[in-house]
Amino acid sequence: MTFDGGGLSLAEVTPDGWAKRALAAMMQRALAEIAPREPLTLIEWAERYRILSKEEANDFAGPFDLNNTPALRGILAALSDRNTRRCIVQKAAQQGYTAGVVCTVLGYHVHWKPCVQVVMFPREKSAKDFDAEKFAPMVRATPALYKRIRLKSRSDGNSATRKHYAGGLAKFVASNSPSDLKSTSAKVRIVEEPDDTNKNVKGQGNAISLLRERGKTVRESLELIGGTPTAKGASEIEKEMRTTDQRRFLAPCHHCGERHEVEWAHVVIPGLQLSDEELRAPDLDARFPVREVYGRARHEDAFYVCPHCGGLWTDDDRIANIRAAAKVPPLYGWEPTAPNPDPGFYCNELQSVFDGSHVPILAEKFLRAQHLMDRGDPTEMVAFWNSTRGMCWEYKGELPEEDELAARAEPYPEWGTPAGGLVPTMSVDVQHDRLAVTVWVVGRGEEMWLAYWGELYGQTVVAHQGAWIELEQLLGKTVRHASGTPMSIAAVGIDCSDGQTSDASYAFVRKHNRPGRPVLALKGASEIEGKVEIWTPPKPIDPNNRSTKASRFGVQVHIVGAAKAKDLILGWAQEGGRVRLVGDGPGRMHWYIGVRGDFFEQLLGEMKVPSRLNPNKRYWKARTDRRNEALDCTVYALYLSRHLRLHLRRPAQWDVIEMTMRQGVLIPIDDTPPPDVQTSALPDPDPIEPDADAPQSGTDTPESETEAPETETPAPDLRATLAAQAFANLLSQRRARHGVRR
């Protein structure tokens, strides 16, 4: 009997030989586990492993193919570069960005380079919708991901906004939750629609900045921010794009070979702009018949033109040229236009190859928007610029320019006011490294004069230190009236909305608030449309409530209807807002020559733009190209005016205050009640010659001469009332001493 080892030698079939083979196989498997994976780029991974589900893209379901979204190839290539730490995409709609870029980045770092990933959305509902409509379908359709994430496994701790997998975690968070933004350090951080994210998360700062802090301790971290722009100057994605290399997608012309940016400016709509000769042509009505919405324009015949040679492109030509450009490494059709290290991409809908983005369809959308805009409704045109062109819409004419305001500056000194200014107020906006301060003097009809604008630099987190010391000294300054009378600050408002500086702000309010010169803790109302009144009665302090900082400090918080105040100060329609009013009179605003130059741009630091969800509603949004502390301080000054009831004062009450200004040499103007009038201690007024027939000193004086003059309604300002009474008493005593009748 012979042994057949299946081609193996006798040594290999012995026990010792089997052991060697088993050991070699085991070592091979072990080395395969610990060996580094081959370096795959995002493009290579997507084309090898990624499967598009019908839920993500019904017409393109199946293996991922970048020919369907050619412009995205350059974005994925930039994200694959080891030197890329931050990438910004300012995009239009209908380009497949979320499925093609965001989902691909997430899937790649789940399967090929596991790590912790955080995706931030404007709201929690947006995060859950992303999971249901994009992420979960991708995982179910892609075997490489389905093996690593058990979507419905509660034992793994998975939910709609949290996905665990070997070596990492994917979290989908909302921009209004500071705990979600600050709780997890992440290697990959993605922001969806930054223009809709929270700009001040419960007083702790911008949501994007808070998320960015989560990557400070992680090596080779990656940040991806992408979204559709909104208003020029107030768009968050526009702000981020300024710090990138601002790449444009250039495609070659199949006629001349020259490259140019594929953009809406090169689209021609026949009949839209007819020359005088064409308008006189006898066949005008036959060629370009008038239609109700489109006029003579023929959107169905719209075409694309090469700006270099004038060659006409059909949609098939445009798509072929785009795909040809997107296959050329290393930039795949994109060209940087600014000298910055971080890549940034301007994407518009004409770069898309989808059927819904053909030129005639976009031309019809444009004509409809133009029809509405010609009738006073720009909402559709705003959407066209934002969602089709991928560009910011500029709201022209709704606010004056800085130069217009600067030209209206008036010749009165800093810390001074013309005769109309009678009640000085101080408002303070608190930043982490400084205090922004304005002093506005209010007069009749709530006419306001700026007496001071400046900043006190120093830390503001610790109470009674840094900039707070300078503010204490500033409280003692007076504003000099045109008559020469110094006027003390009547009321002070301190911004206490920042959670990091509120302790110090409350401490300052508690220390300096007093009768006759209130120091108020102010917070802006959370609504941004203008529904909350500028002044509402503050809630009383509840000594049993220890849940808030204000309660612990024993400070009453005043809620400012900031949006409504901005409606009044700035307005949002052309010719609206007090800032546009010129001359003298109620509601006018004045400033002095020599005021610090940034005052005007900061005063115009916000604009009221339509909501993306409901264009019929507008909300106030800070401009990203400037600060807005001067505007905030002016809003607080308006609140202080309403708190002091200055807008409700009657002419007789203003007359009393003006009389005290004229008698400033005789009457001490102080925040505390003046002492009893001592005639020997006061300077003698203009001498009054005694009347021979008048009773001598010491005789009874008619009652009418000793009583203080009465006004129709007592003035609520204690200082002014006491000053008037003191003046009347002084005058009557002088007459009695000299024996003079009135």
Side-chain angles (χ1 to χ4, degrees):
M1 182 177 178
T2 61
F3 176 77
D4 182 5
L8 299 176
S9 65
L10 182 62
E12 290 177 311
V13 299
T14 60
D16 184 51
W18 283 108
K20 289 181 179 179
R21 291 179 59 203
L23 179 61
M26 182 184 71
M27 291 298 295
Q28 187 176 4
R29 290 193 300 272
L31 290 174
E33 289 293 329
I34 64 175
R37 288 180 170 180
E38 60 176 309
L40 280 186
T41 65
L42 282 163
I43 296 174
E44 293 168 339
W45 180 88
E47 293 179 335
R48 181 184 300 185
Y49 294 103
R50 178 81 193 279
I51 304 295
L52 273 176
S53 68
K54 289 189 175 182
E55 295 166 89
E56 293 177 89
N58 184 67
D59 294 338
F60 302 97
F64 188 82
D65 187 358
L66 277 172
N67 282 326
N68 297 324
T69 53
L72 302 185
R73 188 185 296 271
I75 300 175
L76 293 175
L79 290 168
S80 300
D81 190 333
R82 295 187 61 182
N83 296 321
T84 299
R85 294 290 172 267
R86 176 172 165 268
C87 179
I88 312 298
V89 181
Q90 180 174 315
K91 66 182 184 67
Q94 298 299 319
Q95 291 188 280
Y97 168 82
T98 301
V101 176
V102 175
C103 288
T104 298
V105 170
L106 290 171
Y108 176 80
H109 288 94
V110 168
H111 175 221
W112 208 248
K113 288 186 176 180
C115 62
V116 177
Q117 308 178 79
V118 175
V119 188
M120 183 176 74
F121 298 87
R123 292 164 294 279
E124 186 178 7
K125 184 179 182 301
S126 303
K128 292 181 177 179
D129 288 345
F130 171 79
D131 174 63
E133 299 169 8
K134 300 293 183 183
F135 186 78
M138 176 185 70
V139 172
R140 288 193 293 266
T142 306
L145 300 178
Y146 190 70
K147 293 177 182 178
R148 284 162 175 76
I149 298 180
R150 297 189 294 177
L151 293 172
K152 296 184 179 180
S153 174
R154 293 192 176 184
S155 61
D156 290 347
N158 289 342
S159 65
T161 57
R162 185 184 297 265
K163 313 293 181 183
H164 289 269
Y165 47 87
L169 163 70
K171 288 180 63 177
F172 309 144
V173 303
S175 67
N176 56 359
S177 173
S179 59
D180 284 344
L181 296 176
K182 298 169 62 176
S183 61
T184 305
S185 295
K187 184 172 183 177
V188 176
R189 303 173 306 282
I190 302 174
V191 180
E192 277 280 79
E193 298 300 344
D195 277 34
D196 297 332
T197 57
N198 200 308
K199 302 304 179 290
N200 189 12
V201 188
K202 296 186 178 180
Q204 300 184 39
N206 189 297
I208 296 176
S209 300
L210 293 178
L211 182 64
R212 187 167 286 150
E213 293 294 311
R214 300 301 93 202
K216 290 173 60 175
T217 60
V218 182
R219 293 180 179 177
E220 298 184 356
S221 66
L222 177 64
E223 180 176 287
L224 171 62
I225 302 177
T228 305
T230 51
K232 185 176 181 61
S235 173
E236 199 69 28
I237 193 69
E238 178 196 33
K239 170 187 171 183
E240 297 287 343
M241 281 295 292
R242 294 193 201 107
T243 59
T244 69
D245 60 9
Q246 302 178 34
R247 302 184 186 187
R248 306 280 183 171
F249 188 81
L250 309 183
C253 175
H254 59 283
H255 295 294
C256 64
E258 293 290 336
R259 301 168 68 221
H260 69 273
E261 182 183 7
V262 181
E263 216 279 316
W264 175 256
H266 309 312
V267 171
V268 175
I269 305 176
L272 180 61
Q273 295 178 334
L274 296 174
S275 65
D276 293 339
E277 183 179 350
E278 289 174 320
L279 290 172
R280 289 193 299 267
D283 60 345
L284 174 65
D285 291 333
R287 293 177 57 200
F288 303 108
V290 177
R291 294 180 287 187
E292 182 178 356
V293 174
Y294 312 117
R296 296 189 183 276
R298 307 285 298 177
H299 63 83
E300 57 269 31
D301 298 329
F303 54 88
Y304 191 91
V305 174
C306 172
H308 296 291
C309 67
L312 274 59
W313 291 15
T314 65
D315 273 308
D316 290 338
D317 294 334
R318 178 179 59 86
I319 291 170
N321 293 339
I322 289 172
R323 284 175 172 164
K327 291 181 179 178
V328 181
L331 297 179
Y332 300 97
W334 293 93
E335 198 71 31
T337 61
N340 291 312
D342 295 329
F345 301 85
Y346 285 107
C347 301
N348 66 74
E349 196 171 342
L350 278 173
Q351 298 164 4
S352 171
V353 303
F354 299 146
D355 291 346
S357 299
H358 284 184
V359 170
I361 295 175
L362 300 184
E364 182 181 15
K365 186 188 300 185
F366 170 80
L367 291 176
R368 287 181 179 274
Q370 187 67 53
H371 175 75
L372 292 174
M373 188 171 178
D374 291 342
R375 284 152 181 78
D377 182 4
T379 54
E380 291 295 325
M381 187 59 75
V382 172
F384 183 83
W385 275 68
N386 294 162
S387 300
T388 298
R389 300 194 65 176
M391 297 173 62
C392 294
W393 174 260
E394 185 173 4
Y395 290 87
K396 297 180 180 178
E398 294 199 350
L399 289 178
E401 297 295 329
E402 294 87 347
D403 294 344
E404 296 178 43
L405 301 186
R408 285 164 42 195
E410 300 177 12
Y412 64 90
E414 187 175 67
W415 289 101
T417 178
L422 299 171
V423 182
T425 64
M426 177 183 290
S427 47
V428 183
D429 187 70
V430 182
Q431 302 295 317
H432 291 180
D433 60 343
R434 65 191 183 280
L435 299 174
V437 182
T438 61
V439 175
W440 287 91
V441 187
V442 186
R444 298 171 185 261
E446 221 168 38
E447 191 171 3
M448 300 170 66
W449 288 264
L450 180 69
Y452 174 74
W453 156 246
E455 291 175 310
L456 310 177
Y457 284 90
Q459 61 86 15
T460 59
V461 177
V462 181
H464 310 307
Q465 295 185 23
W468 296 109
I469 298 175
E470 291 190 57
L471 183 61
E472 281 185 311
Q473 298 171 349
L474 206 63
L475 289 181
K477 289 201 64 135
T478 58
V479 177
R480 185 161 294 276
H481 188 261
S483 65
T485 303
M487 300 184 295
S488 299
I489 302 297
V492 182
I494 308 288
D495 167 36
C496 298
S497 59
D498 191 322
Q500 299 182 51
T501 60
S502 57
D503 279 4
S505 301
Y506 290 143
F508 187 91
V509 170
R510 184 179 177 87
K511 178 180 179 181
H512 294 283
N513 184 36
R514 69 188 191 205
R517 202 278 315 280
V519 178
L520 309 181
L522 307 179
K523 284 187 178 181
S526 58
E527 71 89 29
I528 52 180
E529 291 182 35
K531 296 179 179 179
V532 177
E533 291 298 327
I534 298 173
W535 184 90
T536 53
K539 293 182 179 180
I541 300 172
D542 183 0
N544 298 318
N545 183 8
R546 300 297 178 185
S547 61
T548 65
K549 290 182 181 179
S551 298
R552 293 195 294 270
F553 277 87
V555 170
Q556 196 173 35
V557 176
H558 296 249
I559 302 300
V560 182
K564 202 170 190 69
K566 292 167 189 173
D567 285 343
L568 186 62
I569 295 169
L570 297 181
W572 53 269
Q574 192 168 4
E575 304 302 332
R578 290 184 173 181
V579 75
R580 281 189 176 275
L581 301 177
V582 297
D584 299 320
R588 268 62 176 182
M589 301 175 68
H590 310 268
W591 32 82
Y592 54 91
I593 293 176
V595 64
R596 220 172 69 176
D598 61 348
F599 171 76
F600 302 110
E601 67 175 32
Q602 289 201 33
L603 185 63
L604 305 176
E606 296 191 23
M607 59 178 63
K608 199 168 191 179
V609 300
S611 168
R612 196 195 301 269
L613 300 178
N614 185 354
N616 294 324
K617 293 184 177 181
R618 287 185 173 229
Y619 65 96
W620 285 100
K621 190 170 186 180
R623 299 176 65 169
T624 58
D625 58 348
R626 62 189 67 188
R627 304 207 309 258
N628 62 346
E629 287 92 331
L631 174 60
D632 289 341
C633 288
T634 304
V635 166
Y636 297 149
L638 188 60
Y639 179 89
L640 293 174
S641 171
R642 300 297 170 91
H643 181 78
L644 297 174
R645 297 291 194 270
L646 300 182
H647 63 304
L648 300 178
R649 287 192 175 179
R650 299 181 180 180
Q653 295 172 296
W654 288 112
D655 290 342
V656 171
I657 301 178
E658 286 185 335
M659 185 260 294
T660 63
M661 296 299 106
R662 291 195 299 269
Q663 300 298 331
V665 178
L666 298 176
I667 308 302
I669 305 298
D670 193 51
D671 294 319
T672 57
D676 294 335
V677 178
Q678 302 294 329
T679 57
S680 60
L682 290 171
D684 197 23
D686 293 337
I688 304 176
E689 293 295 328
D691 189 348
D693 297 330
Q696 298 301 313
S697 177
T699 61
D700 293 337
T701 307
E703 184 178 353
S704 60
E705 296 182 6
T706 60
E707 292 182 349
E710 296 181 356
T711 58
E712 182 180 347
T713 303
D717 190 326
L718 179 61
R719 184 186 65 184
T721 303
L722 291 173
Q725 185 177 358
F727 174 76
N729 291 338
L730 172 63
L731 189 59
S732 62
Q733 290 182 32
R734 287 287 191 235
R735 285 172 175 155
R737 189 178 67 179
H738 292 286
V740 178
R741 294 180 182 272
R742 197 182 318 182

